[in-house]
Every structure is written in structure tokens, then in C-alpha cells.
């Protein structure tokens, strides 16, 4: 029975974790300016709430989040706070469920690393579908694990029904879904190869079985040993976080497996029905079928990948990970070193895989690829560059650990490491280099960390556990320091590496000030009667800000300022208008509407420049401004 003092401490720890998960994700949600993509998605949610229908646009990925936020707008009003709250709530649920993917004993030890992660926090407060996507993946994975280890056939069937629904719903949310499916299929293929070939003597690298010393105690009666073995297996089956049935020497009972498979089948039907329904109600016209709508979206994003929509170096995401997830990367690297230390066979596996990758990279650079292999490399935008070499030195050890964990029947840990390695590769070669894709790399890396360190924590004594707690505390404090910069208006500072193509604070202030002034005088001039010209590329996020006004989107600035309450346009195109307006009646205000991204890695003194940025936030290149001019009337 739990002692009262212990119960109070556990309750206090859970409350602190809950606060760590909730508070940073819900405070000051509306203070940060609306970024271009946020404004675009939120405007379509507003249009759905206003008109009752939404026509799917492939460039916005799947329609699910837009429809969900539109429903919230009908209830809570259309605001960026409400839109971001949808993402924040789903992310809190997803992360809390995702804690179940760690071994039970260390789940809440490691929880602060997941809940305080700066990259996860930033996009939990961002109206994009990436964090919702990640939350659905976590929920689906937990459903799979629970369906494999359920205590009864009914529980297995229930969890099995839940598992495929969020994983298939990814197709109606974001076109990253094929990345997850590809990683899963390749991991299953690796598992099948292990099952078929690993135990054959020809594989001399196979780790030897550990031989237990013979006990000096007399053997227990066979019946007692059998009862004890059965009890131990039942206890293992109750341990969540690890699909142990596949690790047991005896097969899973047929009734339980049939219940699991039946649940998966039913869940798959429900998930596909949801996807078809979402794409069916958002077809461009009623002659389109849901399947054609899905195919149209996949075709669009496949084309964007081939065309390299937003280019960048292959190592684009590594500086972002080093900036915001440095403690995670250091702890993960240390865990892999500890895993290899003192065990020659495992050390040989790691070193052999790394040397094999370096040799492959050198051969790749020395020959010219032809045929199907060359077409695959071109499609993936791969090249034998230094970026590719560095990526491989991160990916290969994760894959090696995954294979070794697979041999030890730590299936969930093996999958998480495989997912991390696959994500690092997939998003590095993707035809779009943007910070939010780094979120899909950081999440599996954090989850893998718990499994890499679990064996050492299990063997460590009190001093080792105290050292681990201290390391986790330091990592959490560093993460919280980064979190401080990512909450509120400070999160729009383009000095932050996660800020990309962002609406500037001064443009946001201009829009808010005018809207507040017009709302105060709405009895004189209704807000809908206000005329705003958002010429050229200033349409977004201006359309979101002035959605309740009478706005126009001319390709060029108007010829005259009369009749307009506000005109914005690219600075060079607004010069003629500013030259002809009366300075006594009109004011031309120079602004920066967006700040674009900067060099992925410093060229001069790279590590010193990176450290100055990491600790003091001193950028090594100046962000390039997107300069505009606002023509404002003076007086009422």
C-alpha cells in the first residue's frame, strides 16, 4: 500500500507536469502576429464558419484542421487565439498520450523532456497542422501497443479499433502521411528479415545469448516453476509501453490475436470512411469524387517535391535541432556510446555501420550513377555532398540501435529509433526546407532517447539514478530558457531560427491599431464599409486582418488614394502614389511586412558563430526584409 507521503509527492509531480504541458501552450496565444500560412488557413476556416462550406485547395494539405477550426469559430468567434487553441488542445492531448510510449518505470522521469521541448512548444502554439499530425501519430501508436498487450480480447479489439483511425486520418490532414507509412513499411520489412534470417549461424555478427550462472540453490518442483513462469509472463503482458507478446516464446493466444486483427480491420474501415467523407464534402465541384480529390492532392505535393518548392541544404534542419534540442541530441549521443561501451559485439556493429556508410559515400562520389538508381537519387534530391555525409553519421547509429533493439525484442523502442532515422532522412531530402518540418524529426528523437537510456537506468544504482535526474533537470532548464523566447510577441523576432517568412511586429501593430480605431467608431462608419487595398504580395496576411472590412486585392497600387481607408503595397511600387498624395492629408509609412530566412550555417568561424547565437541570440547573418509602404489618411 502506498504511503501517504509518497502519494502526495506523486500527486504534486503530476500536477507540475500538467502545468508544464498546459500553461506554456495556452498563455498569450493571440499576441504573436499572424504568420502568412496561419492567416491563410485561418481565413479559410473563417469562410467555412461564415458560409457553411469549404472547397479543398491542395496547397493547404488536407481539409481536417480547417474544418475543425471553422466549427470552433462558430462557437467561440473567429480569432487567431481560437485557431491556435485548437492546435494547443490537440497537442496537449497527443503529448500526454505519447508518454505511454515510454517504459512505465521511467515515463514520468522523462516527461519534462517531451513537455518542455521548444520545437514542440512553438508549433503547439502555431496554427498549422504539423503538431496535430504528430498528436494523431502518437495516439495511433499507443492504440497499436495497447491492442497487442490488452488483458482481454475485448480490450484488444477496442484498442485495435482505435489504432488505425488517427493513422489513416493523417491523409485528410497533411501530405506527410506517406512518410510515416513508408517508415512503418520499411521497419516491418526489417522485422521480417530479422525473424527469418537473424538466427542463422551464417550471420556471425549475431550477438550471443547471455548465459546465466547456475544457481547453487536446489531446483524448485516443476509445477512450482511452471506457475512462477506463467505468473511472470502475465505480469509482462500487463506492462504498457512495450509490445511484449511478440517477445514471448509461446504464441499469442488465437482468440486474443483474432480480436486484435478484427479491431484493426474495423478501425481501418472507419478511418478510410472518415478520409473519404472529409474529401467528399470539400470537393471542388460535385462531379469530383473523394478519391479523385485525394489523388489530386497527392499529385500536387509530389510535383512540389520534384520541383524543390523551397530549396535549402540537406543539413538545413541540423542547425535548428542544435539550437533548440541540443540537450536531447547530447543525451542521445551519450546513450548510444554507453550502449556500445564494454560490449565488443555492439561496438563492432556501430563502428562497422559507420565505416560502411563512409565507404559508400566515398564510392558514391567517385562514380556516376546510371539507370533506375540514378532516377531514385534524383527524385530524392540526394547528392554525395558533405551535408549527406553528416546526415548519414547521424542516421546510421540510430538504424544500428534499432536493429539491435529489434533482436532484443524491444519492438517499440526499435520502431521509434527507426522512425527518428527515417524522419531525419525524409525531411532533409524533401523538396521543401522550412522549420516546421524539423518538428517531425525532433519528436521521434525525444521518444527514442527514453528507450536508449532505459537499460542503463535499470542497471544503475542510486548514484547513477541521481546523476540521471540531475542531467534531466539541466536539460529541462535549458529547454525552458528557450521556451521563454517562443511565447508572446517575442516569438515573432526573426532572430529565432524557428521564425520563417513571418509577419513583422510593426505590420501586426499597424493592422491592430487601425482595426481597434475603426471598431470604436463603428457607429459612424461600419467596419464592413472600410475600404482597404492590399496590392500585390501584401494580400496575406492582410486578408486575415481585414476580413471584416471591404478589402480589395489589386495587382498594382490604386492610381489615387481617395476613397480608401488604408493602402499597402511593395515599397518600390508605392513610390508613384506617395509622390502624388497631399502630405497634409496622407502619410506614407515604410514597414517591413515579412522577414525571410537566413543562411543555414555560418561560413566564418562556424562553431564560434553558432555558440554566440545559441547563448546570446546573435544571428550570423541579417534577416532580409520584405519592405512595403502603407498609405494612411491623417485624421478621422
Amino acid at each position: 500500500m502506498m504511503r501517504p507521503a509518497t502519494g502526495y509527492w506523486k500527486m504534486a509531480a503530476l500536477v507540475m507536469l500538467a502545468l508544464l504541458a498546459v500553461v506554456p501552450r495556452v498563455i498569450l496565444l493571440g499576441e504573436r502576429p499572424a504568420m502568412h500560412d496561419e492567416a491563410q488557413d485561418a481565413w479559410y476556416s473563417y469562410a467555412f464558419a461564415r458560409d457553411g462550406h469549404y472547397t479543398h485547395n491542395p496547397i493547404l494539405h488536407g481539409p481536417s484542421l480547417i474544418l475543425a477550426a471553422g466549427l470552433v469559430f462558430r462557437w467561440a468567434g473567429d480569432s487567431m487565439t481560437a485557431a491556435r487553441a485548437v492546435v494547443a488542445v490537440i497537442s496537449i492531448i497527443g503529448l500526454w498520450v505519447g508518454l505511454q510510449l515510454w517504459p512505465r518505470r521511467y515515463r514520468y522521469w522523462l516527461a519534462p523532456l517531451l513537455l518542455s521541448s521548444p520545437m514542440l512548444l512553438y508549433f503547439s502554439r502555431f496554427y498549422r497542422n504539423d503538431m496535430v499530425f504528430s498528436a494523431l501519430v502518437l495516439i495511433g501508436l499507443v492504440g497499436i501497443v495497447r491492442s497487442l498487450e490488452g488483458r482481454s480480447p475485448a480490450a484488444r479489439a477496442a484498442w485495435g479499433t482505435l489504432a488505425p483511425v488517427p493513422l489513416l486520418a493523417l491523409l485528410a490532414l497533411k501530405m506527410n502521411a506517406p512518410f510515416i507509412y513508408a517508415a512503418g513499411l520499411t521497419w516491418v520489412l526489417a522485422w521480417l528479415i530479422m525473424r527469418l534470417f537473424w538466427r542463422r549461424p551464417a550471420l556471425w555478427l549475431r550477438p550471443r545469448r547471455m548465459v546465466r550462472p547456475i544457481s547453487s540453490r536446489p531446483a524448485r518442483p516443476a509445477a512450482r516453476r511452471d506457475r512462477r513462469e506463467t505468473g511472470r509472463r502475465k505480469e509482462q503482458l500487463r506492462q504498457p509501453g512495450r509490445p511484449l507478446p511478440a517477445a514471448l516464446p509461446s504464441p499469442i493466444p488465437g482468440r486474443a490475436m483474432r480480436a486484435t486483427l478484427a479491431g484493426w480491420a474495423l478501425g481501418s474501415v472507419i478511418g478510410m470512411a472518415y478520409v473519404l467523407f472529409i474529401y467528399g464534402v470539400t470537393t471542388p465541384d460535385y462531379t469530383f469524387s473523394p478519391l479523385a480529390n485525394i489523388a489530386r492532392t497527392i499529385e500536387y505535393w509530389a510535383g512540389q517535391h520534384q520541383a524543390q518548392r523551397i530549396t535549402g541544404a540537406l543539413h538545413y534542419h541540423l542547425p535548428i535541432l542544435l539550437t533548440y534540442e541540443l540537450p536531447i541530441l547530447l543525451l542521445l549521443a551519450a546513450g548510444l556510446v554507453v550502449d556500445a561501451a564494454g560490449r565488443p559485439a555492439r561496438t563492432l556493429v556501430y563502428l562497422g555501420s559507420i565505416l560502411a556508410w563512409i565507404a559508400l559515400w566515398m564510392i558514391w562520389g567517385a562514380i556516376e550513377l546510371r539507370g533506375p538508381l540514378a532516377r531514385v537519387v534524383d527524385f530524392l534530391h540526394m547528392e554525395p555532398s558533405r551535408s549527406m555525409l553528416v546526415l548519414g553519421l547521424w542516421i546510421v547509429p540510430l538504424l544500428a540501435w534499432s536493429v539491435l533493439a529489434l533482436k532484443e525484442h524491444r519492438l517499440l523502442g526499435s520502431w521509434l529509433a527507426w522512425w527518428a532515422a527515417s524522419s531525419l532522412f525524409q525531411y532533409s531530402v524533401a523538396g521543401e526546407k522550412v522549420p516546421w518540418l524539423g518538428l517531425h524529426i525532433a519528436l521521434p528523437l525525444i521518444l527514442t532517447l527514453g528507450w536508449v537510456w532505459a537499460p542503463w537506468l535499470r542497471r544503475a544504482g542510486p548514484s547513477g539514478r541521481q546523476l540521471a535526474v540531475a542531467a534531466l533537470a539541466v536539460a529541462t532548464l535549458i529547454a525552458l530558457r528557450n521556451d521563454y523566447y517562443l511565447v508572446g510577441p517575442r516569438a515573432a523576432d526573426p532572430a529565432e531560427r524557428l521564425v520563417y517568412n513571418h509577419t513583422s511586429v510593426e505590420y501586426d501593430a499597424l493592422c491592430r491599431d487601425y482595426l481597434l480605431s475603426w471598431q470604436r467608431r463603428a457607429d459612424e462608419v461600419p467596419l464592413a464599409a472600410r475600404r482597404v487595398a492590399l496590392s500585390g504580395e501584401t494580400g496575406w496576411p492582410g486578408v486575415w486582418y481585414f476580413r471584416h472590412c471591404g478589402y480589395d486585392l489589386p495587382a498594382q497600387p490604386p492610381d489615387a488614394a481617395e476613397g480608401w481607408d488604408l493602402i499597402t503595397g511593395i515599397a518600390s511600387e508605392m513610390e508613384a502614389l506617395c509622390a502624388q498624395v497631399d502630405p497634409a492629408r496622407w502619410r506614407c509609412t515604410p514597414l517591413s511586412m515579412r522577414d525571410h530566412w537566413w543562411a543555414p550555417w555560418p561560413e566564418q568561424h562556424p562553431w564560434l558563430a553558432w555558440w554566440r547565437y545559441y547563448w546570446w541570440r546573435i544571428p550570423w547573418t541579417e534577416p532580409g526584409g520584405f519592405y512595403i509602404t502603407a498609405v494612411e489618411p491623417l485624421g478621422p
Side-chain angles (χ1 to χ4, degrees):
M1 186 173 181
M2 185 184 298
R3 292 180 298 177
T6 304
Y8 294 147
W9 278 111
K10 287 190 175 182
M11 182 60 67
L14 288 174
V15 170
M16 292 298 293
L17 289 177
L19 292 175
L20 182 62
V22 174
V23 173
R25 286 171 172 79
V26 299
I27 60 172
L28 304 175
L29 274 178
E31 295 300 313
R32 182 170 51 79
M35 180 261 195
H36 175 278
D37 285 18
E38 286 185 298
Q40 205 169 52
D41 287 13
W43 188 90
Y44 283 105
S45 296
Y46 157 72
F48 170 66
R50 180 192 62 191
D51 303 330
H53 62 84
Y54 163 68
T55 298
H56 173 55
N57 186 346
I59 197 174
L60 302 180
H61 290 282
S64 292
L65 184 59
I66 291 173
L67 299 181
L71 295 175
V72 173
F73 283 177
R74 292 182 183 180
W75 168 66
D78 53 295
S79 67
M80 192 54 69
T81 300
R84 291 168 178 162
V86 175
V87 178
V89 170
I90 296 175
S91 69
I92 292 170
I93 295 172
L95 292 176
W96 202 259
V97 171
L99 294 177
Q100 312 304 310
L101 295 173
W102 274 328
R104 177 191 291 272
R105 184 180 300 178
Y106 311 110
R107 187 172 297 162
Y108 296 107
W109 286 34
L110 301 165
L113 297 180
L114 186 67
L115 301 179
S116 67
S117 164
M119 294 186 71
L120 302 188
L121 172 65
Y122 184 76
F123 294 109
S124 295
R125 301 170 50 84
F126 202 91
Y127 184 55
R128 278 192 62 90
N129 38 28
D130 294 88
M131 196 59 209
V132 178
F133 182 96
S134 299
L136 292 183
V137 172
L138 295 178
I139 294 171
L141 291 177
V142 170
I144 291 176
V145 172
R146 289 285 187 266
S147 67
L148 290 172
E149 62 182 11
R151 298 185 181 182
S152 66
R156 287 172 176 264
W159 282 108
T161 303
L162 170 67
V165 175
L167 295 177
L168 289 172
L170 298 175
L171 286 169
L173 182 67
K174 189 175 175 68
M175 283 300 110
N176 294 32
F179 286 7
I180 289 289
Y181 303 154
L185 287 174
T186 54
W187 180 81
V188 170
L189 180 62
W191 177 76
L192 289 175
I193 292 173
M194 292 284 291
R195 296 280 294 179
L196 291 173
F197 301 111
W198 183 261
R199 294 182 179 179
R200 295 189 177 184
L203 295 180
W204 58 274
L205 284 177
R206 173 173 59 88
R208 297 180 180 179
R209 294 183 179 179
M210 182 180 295
V211 180
R212 297 181 179 178
I214 299 176
S215 173
S216 59
R217 297 180 180 179
R220 293 185 177 88
R224 187 174 177 183
R225 286 201 310 270
D226 291 343
R227 286 197 304 270
R228 186 168 180 176
E229 183 69 17
T230 302
R232 184 166 68 249
R233 292 181 186 176
K234 289 182 177 179
E235 181 62 29
Q236 288 177 333
L237 285 170
R238 296 191 188 100
Q239 296 179 7
R242 176 182 177 185
L244 284 171
L248 297 178
S250 60
I252 302 174
R255 184 182 173 194
M257 179 52 76
R258 286 195 296 271
T260 301
L261 295 177
W264 287 354
L266 178 58
S268 299
V269 171
I270 296 172
M272 285 308 303
Y274 169 80
V275 172
L276 294 174
F277 171 77
I278 291 297
Y279 278 102
V281 299
T282 60
T283 51
D285 54 67
Y286 290 103
T287 62
F288 253 57
S289 69
L291 289 176
N293 203 3
I294 297 172
R296 180 168 165 261
T297 305
I298 294 175
E299 181 182 2
Y300 174 83
W301 282 104
Q304 292 298 322
H305 169 76
Q306 288 179 292
Q308 283 278 44
R309 180 168 175 260
I310 301 177
T311 60
L314 289 174
H315 65 274
Y316 173 86
H317 292 106
L318 292 183
I320 299 177
L321 291 168
L322 285 171
T323 300
Y324 295 99
E325 305 295 348
L326 180 62
I328 298 297
L329 298 179
L330 292 177
L331 289 172
L332 187 57
L336 293 174
V337 171
V338 170
D339 184 68
R343 291 185 283 185
R346 296 180 81 88
T347 303
L348 184 61
V349 170
Y350 286 115
L351 290 179
S353 58
I354 290 173
L355 292 175
W357 163 245
I358 294 174
L360 178 63
W361 178 80
M362 295 175 66
I363 295 171
W364 182 10
I367 64 174
E368 182 180 353
L369 298 179
R370 299 178 183 275
L373 186 59
R375 289 194 292 271
V376 170
V377 169
D378 290 340
F379 176 77
L380 294 176
H381 313 301
M382 295 167 58
E383 57 184 8
S385 60
R386 286 183 295 176
S387 287
M388 195 71 240
L389 175 64
V390 172
L391 281 177
L393 295 178
W394 288 61
I395 293 170
V396 165
L398 287 171
L399 291 177
W401 188 91
S402 176
V403 171
L404 292 172
L406 199 59
K407 170 61 178 66
E408 298 167 347
H409 302 293
R410 292 193 289 167
L411 302 185
L412 183 52
S414 171
W415 153 249
L416 292 174
W418 192 277
W419 177 22
S422 300
S423 296
L424 182 55
F425 169 74
Q426 290 165 336
Y427 292 106
S428 296
V429 303
E432 185 176 66
K433 302 298 187 297
V434 284
W436 48 81
L437 293 183
L439 158 70
H440 303 282
I441 304 171
L443 177 61
L445 284 176
I446 297 171
L447 294 173
T448 301
L449 174 64
W451 284 91
V452 170
W453 275 103
W456 181 84
L457 290 172
R458 195 161 45 243
R459 297 190 302 266
S463 300
R465 291 193 179 93
Q466 290 174 5
L467 178 63
V469 169
L472 294 175
V474 171
T476 303
L477 290 174
I478 294 175
L480 290 174
R481 176 187 180 272
N482 282 320
D483 291 344
Y484 171 77
Y485 298 114
L486 303 178
V487 175
R490 174 67 174 77
D493 187 341
E496 290 296 323
R497 302 229 44 168
L498 290 176
V499 175
Y500 179 87
N501 202 22
H502 207 291
T503 305
S504 67
V505 174
E506 56 181 352
Y507 180 77
D508 175 77
L510 173 83
C511 297
R512 292 184 191 235
D513 290 344
Y514 267 95
L515 288 170
L516 182 60
S517 174
W518 293 345
Q519 286 169 353
R520 288 173 180 170
R521 299 168 51 213
D523 54 341
E524 302 174 17
V525 182
L527 199 60
R530 297 288 183 178
R531 298 192 63 205
V532 181
L534 306 168
S535 68
E537 297 185 40
T538 65
W540 297 103
V543 169
W544 166 254
Y545 282 101
F546 299 107
R547 64 194 178 279
H548 296 297
C549 304
Y551 63 83
D552 195 9
L553 301 172
Q556 298 292 329
D559 294 332
E562 296 297 334
W564 297 98
D565 293 284
L566 179 66
I567 303 172
T568 63
I570 299 174
S572 59
E573 297 177 357
M574 294 286 285
E575 292 176 356
L577 181 61
C578 289
Q580 72 179 26
V581 297
D582 183 358
R585 298 182 53 211
W586 299 88
R587 175 175 59 203
C588 295
T589 304
L591 298 168
S592 174
M593 190 178 77
R594 296 196 298 268
D595 289 291
H596 293 271
W597 196 226
W598 34 304
W601 194 249
E603 297 180 2
Q604 300 293 329
H605 309 291
W607 288 106
L608 177 61
W610 174 83
W611 177 253
R612 290 176 63 198
Y613 173 76
Y614 181 80
W615 199 250
W616 302 111
R617 288 300 190 268
I618 301 175
W620 52 79
T621 54
E622 291 295 329
F626 184 79
Y627 298 108
I628 67 170
T629 299
V631 176
E632 317 166 59
L634 297 175

